[in-house]
Amino acid sequence: WARVRSFLTDAGTVILALTIVLWGLLNYPKDEAALAALGAEREQAQLIEDGEAKAARLAELDAEEAATIIKGSAAGTLGHAIEPVVSPLGMDWRVGVGVIGAFAAREVFVSTLGVVFDVGADATEESEPLRERLRAAKRADGSPLFTPLSSIALMIFFVLAAQCMSTLAVVRREAGSAKWALFMFGYMSALAYIVTLLVYQGGRLLGLQ
């Protein structure tokens, strides 16, 4: 009990605080005008008599609402801000938002992409609509966003980066200070960035793009 209590009071409080901050980043501020427009469309959808068509339209509006929230949120703004930094790694702002969301847990990356690409938060790695959206995704210059090379680079980034707030919270607890957690996050993020940059840009030079 002493160990459980120690974890809950030390690491648990940090995890809870980070979770709240991350949730706030992904949900606020809200684009009230866009959400109001979707609300009006939802009211119209409620008038559809065909039950199957009505359910499909409401599900589509749910996905659009979730995407509108995350695109207008602080995380969406941050994703656009870091795009020049992550672009050399083969990513764009949408993948950047996914990386931010994955700080809660790596598996959240897939569901965050589902929201960003208007598929819905319940998207999984087996979701065919999400797969189709990712295959069709384009960069600003019209080139495909996801290629074998960019996908490999993304996986390498996640292998090396300290993308887990629970791990950082436990390191802080065990070390008795935030210094080691910040050091680990800093050097692992730098290592992930450098190696991913070398893999992606090196692959492009070799014509693998």
Side-chain angles (χ1 to χ4, degrees), residues 46-80:
Q46 294 289 352
L47 302 177
I48 299 175
E49 296 183 359
D50 187 326
E52 187 174 335
K54 178 179 178 179
R57 179 55 180 159
L58 289 175
E60 181 181 335
L61 288 172
D62 286 340
E64 288 183 22
E65 182 178 4
T68 299
I69 291 174
I70 199 169
K71 289 174 183 177
S73 68
T77 302
L78 183 58
H80 282 287

Side-chain angles (χ1 to χ4, degrees), residues 123-160:
T124 68
E125 64 274 12
E126 300 298 331
S127 174
E128 193 58 36
L130 178 58
R131 292 186 177 194
E132 292 176 359
R133 292 292 181 91
L134 297 183
R135 293 190 191 104
K138 302 292 184 181
R139 303 179 191 275
D141 61 2
S143 61
L145 175 60
F146 288 99
T147 64
L149 178 59
S150 66
S151 301
I152 290 172
L154 181 61
M155 288 189 286
I156 289 174
F157 178 84
F158 272 107
V159 166
L160 298 175

